[in-house]
Amino acid sequence: MSFVELLARLGGMGRFQVTYVAALAIPLLMLASHNLLQNFTAGVPEHHCRPRPVANATAADVPLVVSIPWDGHHRPQRCRRYVEPQWHLLDANGSASAAANGTATAAATEPCHDGWMYLEGIFTDTIVTEVREGDSPGSPGWGNPSGLVVDLW
């Protein structure tokens, strides 16, 4: 005797079975929409390391090419910056174009220690840009439950 036959013999689905199925289905429907929402809120905008502070200058005064190395796609690298500003890349002999092409001589680089700068062209706010100051990997606040929550599904 199969389960369907047994259920029919006992009187079919009663009020308890219907309530039980509904109680299980409603949270599952909300969970599915939550996971779908992350496709729209978890976009990673273009970003690069925050340039190293330079004495007597603001971040807007220092060109990006002297602070951040360029990748093979003519964009600033996302997770590396020069240890010291490379002012020689601004010489009039074309070194700046060599740096943009990725053919400049390799200088010492380091990981991002001061956070990232996000370009707001496509995304203005995502869960990636909502990380508080000091919540970068390796900082004391990283991994704090009240900070960034990552869904591991």
Side-chain angles (χ1 to χ4, degrees):
M1 175 179 290
S2 70
F3 179 72
V4 176
E5 293 171 353
L6 178 64
L7 190 60
R9 191 171 193 187
L10 293 175
M13 284 189 60
R15 189 173 58 199
F16 174 77
Q17 285 86 5
V18 172
T19 305
Y20 188 72
V21 169
L24 286 176
I26 291 172
L28 289 175
L29 292 173
M30 287 189 281
L31 181 65
S33 64
H34 170 73
N35 287 337
L36 182 63
L37 180 67
Q38 290 183 12
N39 291 334
F40 301 102
T41 60
V44 179
E46 288 292 322
H47 62 280
H48 56 80
C49 288
R50 188 175 307 276
R52 177 183 289 279
V54 178
N56 299 329
T58 63
D61 295 335
V62 179
L64 195 60
V65 71
V66 302
S67 301
I68 309 293
W70 295 84
D71 64 7
H73 300 290
H74 309 294
R75 292 181 302 210
Q77 287 187 9
R78 290 183 172 195
C79 297
R80 304 295 292 175
R81 70 177 181 185
Y82 289 123
V83 174
E84 294 294 327
Q86 303 296 309
W87 296 108
H88 67 277
L89 296 176
L90 296 178
D91 289 342
N93 65 3
S95 295
S97 64
N101 291 334
T103 59
T105 59
T109 61
E110 65 183 358
C112 300
H113 292 293
D114 299 323
W116 292 268
M117 296 181 71
Y118 296 96
L119 304 178
E120 296 181 354
I122 297 174
F123 305 112
T124 54
D125 290 316
T126 67
I127 60 174
V128 174
T129 59
E130 293 296 319
V131 177
R132 296 184 313 264
E133 247 348 274
D135 278 349
S136 59
S139 69
W142 182 255
N144 184 355
S146 64
L148 179 66
V149 176
V150 178
D151 190 1
L152 297 176
W153 287 94

